[in-house]
Amino acid sequence: MSPRRTSPPASSAAPDPGAQEPEGLLRKYRELLAKHSVLVRKLGERTRRQFLTFKLSNWALETSDSALAMMNATSVVLANSRWHALGRLRGPWRREEDGAQWMVLRDVGQAEAAAVLALTEGGARVTRYRQTREKTPRVMEVRAERVTGHMQVQVLVLARDITEQARAEEELASARATLLEREKVRALGELAAGIAHDLRATLDAMRLRLELLQRDVGPTSQGHQHLDALARIVSDANARVGRLQDFSRRKPGTVLERVQLADVVHDAVDIVRGGIEHQARQGGHALRLDVELPEGLPHVSGSAMELRYVVINLLINARDAMSRGGVIRLRAFKSGKRVRLTVEDEGTGIPEEYLPNIFKPFFTTKGDKGTGLGLSMAHGVVTNVGGTLTAANRPEGGAVFTLTFPALKPLSARGGAR
């Protein structure tokens, strides 16, 4: 009898691989979905931060007082509203370093961008521009710098209105210059106080010798006229030394008197005519004094000695400017309620850039041959009596100095002004 076969139990059957595969894919899908959600959330947060940063940056640029623009070699790529506002201002804008001018801010930016792009070593470039046509011109500082990184051909241009800063700097420089001039004048006063005593002693000795010579020379001889002129020169020099002593001691100014300007000019011309014409003849060039003084000029207030010094100084300056000879003209005339005196020469004239400083202490165009005090002291003499002293160039060539004084009223029969 053959043995009976039995079937295996149901629990020992092999697992179905098709049933496990969907569960693994679902788990991976869920993991990927979770990672994707994290990435989306991070991207959203980053996008929001970038957007807020952009809004903040844009707000900062638009509310800034500085004009900002991104430029390339040919155009403006991006600019804020302040740039456009400044761009509407008409120039010309003059660059202080070389005087070059452009009409609008865009052209200024292009010029600065081109200058920065031309630099081989990179770096920033800072320049100042001044608006030249306005009554109260603006001053603008422009900073240009090449942008590094992937934008090699672009330049960041920043323009700031520094008008108030520039005005403050100019006032500070003027104050410093004034203090320096005062210090120089103080030093000059101390020097004058030290040498004035010796000079006065020498001048007193010369005056005594001249008085002795005048006694020995006849009053009608030509030599007597020269001695009189020398006596006036010594007297004026003695008075000037006294004024220097008064200045060093800070004494009050000269007592004013009624002065006939024509007499002052005649005396000054008589003193310097011989020396000026003789020196010109030695140099081989003729130099002539042409004086025109009408009668009846009103009197002016001042010191005859000091005004004579002013005229002499102007005549000597005119002579020094006329190395080839020519004519020095002196004209006096009444103009309304004022008396004017002009001293004209046919020399080289005054460079235009020197005219604003011509009357400042220690400013000279003569180099080592000048002290820079002659015109400064002459200006002080004239202004102290209420007059004006100006300098200009003649259209025909040469310079003209104009002295203007308030005319005094004539004295009445009782000796008072009418």
Side-chain angles (χ1 to χ4, degrees):
M1 183 176 179
S2 62
R4 188 176 53 183
R5 295 181 179 178
T6 59
S7 61
S11 58
S12 61
D16 188 0
Q20 295 179 355
E21 186 175 352
E23 294 181 0
L25 292 175
L26 182 59
R27 184 174 59 257
K28 291 180 179 180
Y29 175 75
R30 289 173 178 173
E31 292 175 356
L32 291 175
L33 185 60
K35 293 180 180 180
H36 179 266
S37 300
V38 173
L39 292 175
V40 170
R41 185 171 61 256
K42 290 182 178 180
L43 179 61
E45 292 176 355
R46 183 175 180 181
T47 303
R48 282 193 297 271
R49 286 197 299 269
Q50 290 178 342
F51 179 73
L52 291 174
T53 302
F54 172 79
K55 290 187 65 176
L56 182 62
S57 301
N58 186 67
W59 175 82
L61 289 176
E62 295 301 329
T63 58
S64 174
D65 289 336
S66 301
L68 184 64
M70 186 72 71
M71 312 187 74
N72 56 27
T74 59
S75 62
V76 177
V77 178
L78 183 66
N80 65 353
S81 57
R82 180 61 176 165
W83 178 275
H84 295 300
L86 283 179
R88 288 190 288 269
L89 296 177
R90 300 297 295 176
W93 294 96
R94 180 177 57 83
R95 188 161 58 194
E96 292 186 350
E97 64 180 24
D98 57 6
Q101 296 186 356
W102 289 271
M103 289 303 298
V104 293
L105 181 60
R106 181 189 65 253
D107 296 337
V108 171
Q110 291 294 156
E112 292 302 314
V116 169
L117 292 174
L119 297 176
T120 57
E121 298 181 356
R125 170 182 167 87
V126 181
T127 52
R128 283 191 177 186
Y129 288 81
R130 189 176 296 269
Q131 199 177 20
T132 57
R133 286 186 179 178
E134 300 295 330
K135 294 182 179 179
T136 55
R138 298 193 182 201
V139 180
M140 181 172 58
E141 183 181 78
V142 179
R143 177 186 176 91
E145 186 172 1
R146 185 197 299 262
V147 177
T148 59
H150 64 283
M151 303 168 65
Q152 292 292 332
V153 294
Q154 292 189 341
V155 176
L156 184 65
V157 181
L158 179 70
R160 295 191 304 121
D161 188 339
I162 58 168
T163 303
E164 295 300 326
Q165 175 186 336
R167 184 178 294 113
E169 291 174 355
E170 291 171 358
E171 292 177 356
L172 179 60
S174 177
R176 286 177 176 172
T178 301
L179 291 175
L180 179 60
E181 289 179 3
R182 288 179 180 177
E183 183 63 22
K184 289 180 178 179
V185 173
R186 185 190 63 80
L188 178 64
E190 293 178 355
L191 179 63
I195 65 176
H197 181 270
D198 294 338
L199 285 176
R200 275 199 124 162
T202 303
L203 291 172
D204 286 339
M206 292 176 63
R207 179 177 55 80
L208 292 174
R209 293 288 183 176
L210 285 172
E211 289 177 355
L212 294 174
L213 287 174
Q214 285 175 319
R215 294 176 185 176
D216 297 336
V217 177
T220 58
S221 66
Q222 186 176 3
H224 193 275
Q225 296 177 357
H226 292 306
L227 290 176
D228 287 341
L230 286 174
R232 286 198 298 271
I233 292 174
V234 171
S235 177
D236 287 350
N238 198 359
R240 295 302 298 174
V241 171
R243 288 287 291 148
L244 286 176
Q245 285 182 315
D246 293 344
F247 169 76
S248 64
R249 301 188 188 107
R250 303 185 182 275
K251 289 186 177 180
T254 304
V255 177
L256 302 182
E257 56 187 346
R258 294 177 66 89
V259 178
Q260 175 50 254
L261 201 57
D263 295 340
V264 170
V265 173
H266 280 306
D267 290 343
V269 170
D270 289 342
I271 290 173
V272 302
R273 183 191 294 273
I276 287 179
E277 294 179 348
H278 176 70
Q279 183 174 347
R281 285 194 297 269
Q282 284 186 330
H285 300 285
L287 196 153
R288 182 169 57 87
L289 292 174
D290 182 10
V291 183
E292 183 178 323
L293 301 172
E295 296 182 359
L297 277 177
H299 287 74
V300 299
S301 179
S303 164
M305 179 272 296
E306 291 197 339
L307 292 178
R308 188 160 53 241
Y309 156 78
V310 170
V311 178
I312 290 174
N313 186 76
L314 294 178
L315 291 174
I316 293 175
N317 284 346
R319 177 204 65 188
D320 294 342
M322 298 172 61
S323 58
R324 298 184 179 181
V327 180
I328 302 175
R329 297 178 177 84
L330 293 92
R331 300 284 186 269
F333 54 93
K334 181 182 178 183
S335 176
K337 296 182 179 181
R338 295 183 174 274
V339 179
R340 283 192 170 87
L341 171 66
T342 59
V343 181
E344 301 183 7
D345 64 64
E346 298 177 350
T348 56
I350 306 170
E352 293 295 330
E353 63 270 21
Y354 292 163
L355 284 174
N357 302 316
I358 198 71
F359 297 114
K360 290 184 177 181
F362 304 100
F363 181 86
T364 178
T365 60
K366 299 180 181 180
D368 296 337
K369 297 181 179 180
T371 63
L373 291 174
L375 287 178
S376 173
M377 297 180 71
H379 186 267
V381 168
V382 176
T383 55
N384 285 340
V385 298
T388 59
L389 174 58
T390 60
N393 287 311
R394 301 171 62 235
E396 306 88 351
V400 53
F401 288 84
T402 304
L403 298 87
T404 306
F405 302 91
L408 297 179
K409 295 180 179 181
L411 295 176
S412 63
R414 296 181 180 180
R418 291 184 292 180

